[in-house]
Each structure stands twice: as C-alpha cells, then as structure tokens.
Amino acid sequence: MMMDRPRPIALLSALMALSMGCSAAEQPAVERVEPPFWWTQMAEPNLQLMLHGEDIASAVVSLDYPGVTVTGTEREQNPNYLFINLAISDGARPGTLPIELRSGDTRVTVEYTLKQRRAGSAERQGFDSSDTIYLITPDRFANGDTANDRTADMLEGPNRKNPGGRHGGDIAGIQANLDYIAEMGFTQIWPNPLIENNQPQYSYHGYSATDYYRIDPRYGSNESFRAFVAAAKEKGIGVIQDMVPNHIGDGHWWLKDLPGDDWLNGQGLEKGEYEYTNHARTVHMDPYASHKDHQLFTDGWFVDSMPDPNQRNPRMANYLIQNAVWWVEYADLSGIRVDTYAYSDADFLTHWSARMMREYPNFNIVGEEWTRQPALVAYWQAGNKNRNGYVSHVPSMMDFPLHYGLREGLEKPESWSTGLVTLYESLANDVLYPDPNNLVIFGGNHDTSRLYSQLDEDPGKFRMAVAYLATMRGIPQFYYGDEILAKSPKQRDDGVVRSDFPGGWAGDKANAFTGENLSQAQKEAQQFVRTLFNWRKDKDVIHSGNLKHFAPIDGLYVYFRYDEKDTVMVAINKSDKPRELPLAHLAEMLGDKSTAIDITTDKSKPLTELVIAPSDVLVAEVL
C-alpha cells in the first residue's frame, strides 16, 4: 500500500532560506543524489544520477567541468525525481562537479564528487576454485558492538529470545573474529545482505532492502564495512556481497514517494492489487511455457512486504546496475552473490551481468537458482549455448543439483537407485555446464536445514560431506556453525537454522572461537574441517585437477583428483563394515602407486594394507 508522501523542501524554498542565511545543509533542495559519488577511469563512461527533491523534475541542468558533460535529462511521472545523464571522458580528473539546477530565476548547485579509482581495481581477481567461502548470517555470528544493537532511526530493536528477531550480530563481530575464519582455512566471506532493512519485524535476514546505498546501522556503517573488507583482505580473505535486485522491503524510501506507476511490477499498487510469483523457474528455458506463467514468475511479488522492482523500466535497471558497480568499487569486493537470480527480468540480467564483467573482467558473480534441474542451472551460466539464444554473463551459479545429490546420497539407504549412486550420478550432469569447476558447491546454507541434522546427526556421514566439499570440483561454500555440528529441524525453520554462533555474545556458555565448553564431538568436527580446508588452500590438484570416479560398490564410493604432479584419492565407506580398497578395480588410477598418506592424520600406509573404517571417509595423497 502506498504511504503518505513526505514534504521535502522545494528549490525556491531552499533559495529563500539561503538568502536568509540558512545553509543548504539545513534546508536541502535535493534530498538524495544516487549514486552518492562516482569514479574516473571506469570502463563505462556514462553515468546516470537520480536526484530526489520536491518539484525538481522541471529544472534545467548545466555543468562546466573539464571532461564531463551533461548528455541529457530524463524524468518519471513524479515531479520529485530528476535523472541526469553524464558522460565522463578518459581525461576527466577527480574533483567536485558543480551541477547547476535552474528553475526560472532560481539556481541551486549540487556538488558531486568524482573520485580517483583504486589502483588495479579493474583487474581485481574474483573468487575461484582455489577458495573456500564461509557463509555468515551477520545478525547471528558475533556481537562486536553492543552500542548499535538498537538505533534511533531503525524500527526493530534486539530480542535475542525471538528466533525471528534481531540478535545483535554485526560487522564488528565478524571483523573481530577474522583470525578464526582464516585459521579454519576459509578464504572468502559471504555475509547475508548488510544493507539497510528498516522493516518493523523480521528484518535481520537482510533481504528486504530499504536503502540500496546504506549499510544497516545495526550492523555498522558504510565506512565500517569498507574497513572490514580491508581488514579481511590483509588476512588473505576476500568478501562477497549478497545483492538482491529482484525485490525490496515495503519500507524502502521509494514507496513513500514512488517515481512512477511502472517503477514496481503490478497494477493498482495503491489498492494492493498485485500478483504473487508462481515460482515457475523453468519458464525462461521452457519452449512451451505460456506468456502468463512467464509474466507471473518474473513480475509477481514474493510476499506483501517484498515489492518487485520493474527492471524493464530503463532508469530502474540502470539504478540497480550502477548500485552493484558502486559497491564493488567502494568496498573493494572480490565477488557478488545474487539472490533469487532468475526471478528478475531476463534481459535486465543480461545487461547487468555484462556491465559487471566489462568493468571487472576477472571478477566472479554467483547466482542463486534454487532447482534440482542441472539444465536450468546451466541455462544461466556464462558460455551456455541456449537454444532460445539467451546470453548470460554470470560466471558462476550455486550448484543446487549437487547439493541435493550430496545430502540424499549420504542420508538415504543404499540400493540400486538410492544412496551413493545418487551422488555418483549427479556428477554426470557436468556435461551440461559450460564450466562446472566454477560452480559453488555446498552442503547447507541459510535457507536449508543444518547439514549435521539432515544427515541424522551421524558424525561419519558429516565427515563424508565435509571431505566431499573439500575435494570435489567447484568452489566449496561452508555455512557458519556447521563446523561445530549446529543443529536444526529437518523441515525448514529459518530462525533456528540461523542460530547464534557460540561465543559470539558475552556470557555464552560455550565458545566456538576458542573451543571452550564445546563437546568432544564438536571439537573433532571442527578440527576435521580445519585440517581439510587448510590443506586444500595450496592444492592445485584440487583447484583445477582432473576428476575420475568409480561407481559405488556396496556402499563404497571412490574418486580421484589428479594432474601431472599429484593424485588425491577419496574413499567414502557408507557401509557398516570395514572395507579394503578394490585395488584391481581402481588400477587405471593407481597404476604403480603403492602408498597413501592420510591427510587428516599425516600417516602413511601401503595401499595393500589400507582399510576404510565403517561409516567413515579417507582423503589421501597417493604416491
């Protein structure tokens, strides 16, 4: 539902105030300018500014600054918005652009900053298969600054007893524990969205943005986020920002003064007469899909509190594209994760991804397409030859098909059609992907049950899953708390899945950062994760080596990662009996090799004496 429009100060009122001695800061004619600043030497020379202030649409715009020209202005239905198109030449120098707005005899100057671009910014290296991503729900990881638990300008305060409420975790908490993250072997951090979510309730998850250019003050500030990224970089850790172009929160400032009728999807917005998405993910690639189903999927809202931006509006689309570029440049990011990727307009996604990769050719972006269908994941990955001609530029996607294969392969009993054969057959889908090694693989995330619980709290199956993630092709992602056997119901329960990390709050009885009061099983699991992912860091054979696997036999599944220098063997024994290696069966990979060095114990054994314990896994370098 539309809200009452605020009454910002008009241009004329501002000029009168200035003549009376009031400063522009006290009586602003323009309430917002977004992006708030920009940089020289970007690959795309054109920049579109969105200005918001009462009755500014009729203003005539002029600018006198070397290397920067006004190429035009654009307007929406709402007279409180003005879009200014600038062309920034290669020769433009950093400085302050005096953008003059003239309405009749009145003039107001907007001083816009053009900054020097960070050295080497365009060549930044995005995350890749040499990395391991640590996914964090910031509100639930660690409370590093209790002073920001409640802020005067945010609606929802802290209530740690409420699983769906805010608990107080913040950027300071993550930064204070960077040593722990690095020591665990993780080289990238993906926090759930940190930008402002000023919603009355359930605002902690971050997926209901109310300001695209502001870090939520309960997490910190734009400056503290940038400082956190820099601190992480010093420890060899990159930061991936979670972005949500598909939906916003109904508390977003746009809804108080919407630019136009087509700024959001849905008709009759004042009456709430919009439609919900049908979640029909296959419509983009389905040659038989109806236009109505396609329209419902992309234009429908998730829920009442999550309006759906209309990315076919060129100004909306440009706004979202520039916002993504702005955060990469401002915060020095190493990647982007895109929420609900396919729900956005497909043409917009092509332009969005092309622009990002044009600015940052070595960058990485991973899209979320929550599906069991590998063909649908492949559809969105850059380089796929789609029959309908659709072109994507997103290098990576979340490998949901392998996620299901892993969980079900370990959870379900062994038979000719269930158990490890599910995991084995999942890899055959790699024939569909343009680049399977650039897919993000995972055992769990913020939307799924906890890995340990899904595997029936079986320590052996948990170790199998961890070993698989550490050695399989692709880019592993690990969800915070899984390393200490965090639990949840098997059915979705977000508040419990996104549980507080022990030791992140003063007074916690257990502390996973130090190991204090963790159970023996938790300590062993944590050490297992630490050992494997630290070992993985410098193993080119895992990052980019070949893969060969052998069909499971009576609960024993063996696969190899290998290159010209190294061979790594992973043997998963899901049976309840000790298993010797079928050496003759594996001869094409073992050849004349005779010794296996267990990665987790650093002990070596002749292959002829090697026995895999029941419900256990072996990761070994084979010599």
Side-chain angles (χ1 to χ4, degrees), residues 514-588:
T514 65
E516 182 180 2
N517 291 330
L518 293 184
S519 70
Q520 187 60 33
Q522 288 178 308
K523 291 179 181 179
E524 290 175 357
Q526 189 180 46
Q527 183 57 39
F528 189 77
V529 172
R530 182 185 291 116
T531 298
L532 282 178
F533 285 105
N534 274 293
W535 164 81
R536 186 189 189 278
K537 278 184 178 180
D538 60 359
K539 289 297 173 183
D540 290 342
V541 66
I542 302 298
H543 306 161
S544 56
N546 300 304
L547 168 64
K548 182 167 288 188
H549 63 162
F550 294 78
I553 303 173
D554 298 328
L556 180 66
Y557 177 33
V558 182
Y559 63 88
F560 293 85
R561 300 302 306 277
Y562 63 101
D563 58 21
E564 293 181 354
K565 298 185 299 179
D566 300 304
T567 300
V568 173
M569 178 179 67
V570 181
I572 295 174
N573 179 14
K574 200 178 152 198
S575 73
D576 58 1
K577 298 177 182 179
R579 300 292 295 276
E580 296 180 356
L581 284 176
L583 299 179
H585 189 70
L586 305 174
E588 65 184 278

Side-chain angles (χ1 to χ4, degrees), residues 385-455:
K385 305 299 182 183
N386 292 311
R387 291 179 63 182
N388 64 2
Y390 181 76
V391 176
S392 175
H393 302 279
V394 170
S396 178
M397 295 296 292
M398 301 298 301
D399 195 346
F400 273 93
L402 197 65
H403 161 78
Y404 285 112
L406 175 62
R407 285 189 164 211
E408 294 172 5
L410 296 179
E411 179 188 7
K412 296 186 182 300
E414 290 300 301
S415 74
W416 68 271
S417 61
T418 62
L420 289 174
V421 68
T422 306
L423 186 53
Y424 171 77
E425 291 179 348
S426 294
L427 280 177
N429 296 319
D430 280 10
V431 70
L432 299 173
Y433 301 125
D435 186 2
N437 203 41
N438 205 8
L439 299 176
V440 174
I441 63 175
F442 60 103
N445 64 22
H446 57 290
D447 290 326
T448 69
S449 60
R450 284 288 183 171
L451 179 61
Y452 183 57
S453 296
Q454 192 65 39
L455 299 178

